[in-house]
Amino acid sequence: MTSHQDQFNIEQKLFQEAANFVKHRYPQGWGGAAAVYTETGSLLISVAPEVINDATHLCMETGAYLEAHKLNERVTHSICVARDDEHSEFKVLTPCGVCQERLFFWGEDVKAAVYDPDGALIFKRLDEIQPYHWTKAYRDK
């Protein structure tokens, strides 16, 4: 069981590592990256691949999710950050519906960072983001 302070540290670290990666990978212009934290303490970072055909586009988080699957590690936290250019502040992007479905593989207690208009760093459990998720229809009572 992790303490509230440990959760805060993980969340801050995910944001900082993703932002630092963006600054390095995309020194000018737009930049974005995702970071996930696993139960074993791995921090995995990924970006959206650049593609010619937009129909083949993948979310920034996909690579980190696949890496967690490859390592057979359970994701506990996920964040996606982007900035408009090198002079802009970073903003957190709530995972899209497809990425939420990908995260539900590890359970409804996975925490994902969500957009806040004031720029606060907020993580919510998947069951808070999607309280009526379709899997609830198949639970034993």
Side-chain angles (χ1 to χ4, degrees):
M1 179 104 177
T2 54
S3 71
H4 178 69
Q5 185 62 40
D6 291 338
Q7 290 289 323
F8 177 77
N9 290 340
I10 290 167
E11 294 166 1
Q12 287 291 324
K13 183 175 181 174
L14 277 176
F15 177 84
Q16 198 57 54
E17 292 291 327
N20 288 342
F21 186 87
V22 169
K23 291 174 188 175
H24 174 74
R25 172 67 173 79
Y26 305 101
Q28 296 181 330
W30 179 91
V36 301
Y37 191 80
T38 70
E39 206 166 51
T40 63
S42 296
L43 194 149
L44 309 170
I45 296 176
S46 62
V47 298
E50 296 177 27
V51 296
I52 297 170
N53 180 342
D54 199 45
T56 62
H57 184 83
L58 292 170
C59 296
M60 288 182 253
E61 302 98 310
T62 307
Y65 297 165
L66 293 173
E67 187 73 8
H69 278 288
K70 182 183 91 177
L71 298 171
N72 198 28
E73 294 187 22
R74 181 181 181 277
V75 169
T76 62
H77 294 76
S78 180
I79 190 170
C80 185
V81 300
R83 63 164 197 220
D84 296 327
D85 60 43
E86 67 273 19
H87 306 291
S88 301
E89 295 293 318
F90 282 94
K91 55 185 133 191
V92 170
L93 306 177
T94 304
C96 73
V98 173
C99 285
Q100 288 179 40
E101 288 296 324
R102 291 173 178 147
L103 285 171
F104 265 104
F105 172 80
W106 290 290
E108 64 184 19
D109 61 333
V110 172
K111 295 182 100 178
V114 296
Y115 171 73
D116 178 70
D118 296 326
L121 184 58
I122 299 171
F123 280 74
K124 298 278 187 184
R125 288 170 46 114
L126 287 175
D127 58 359
E128 293 175 294
I129 298 170
Q130 251 193 69
Y132 304 103
H133 191 259
W134 63 269
T135 55
K136 292 183 188 284
Y138 294 96
R139 290 201 182 142
D140 294 330
K141 297 199 184 230

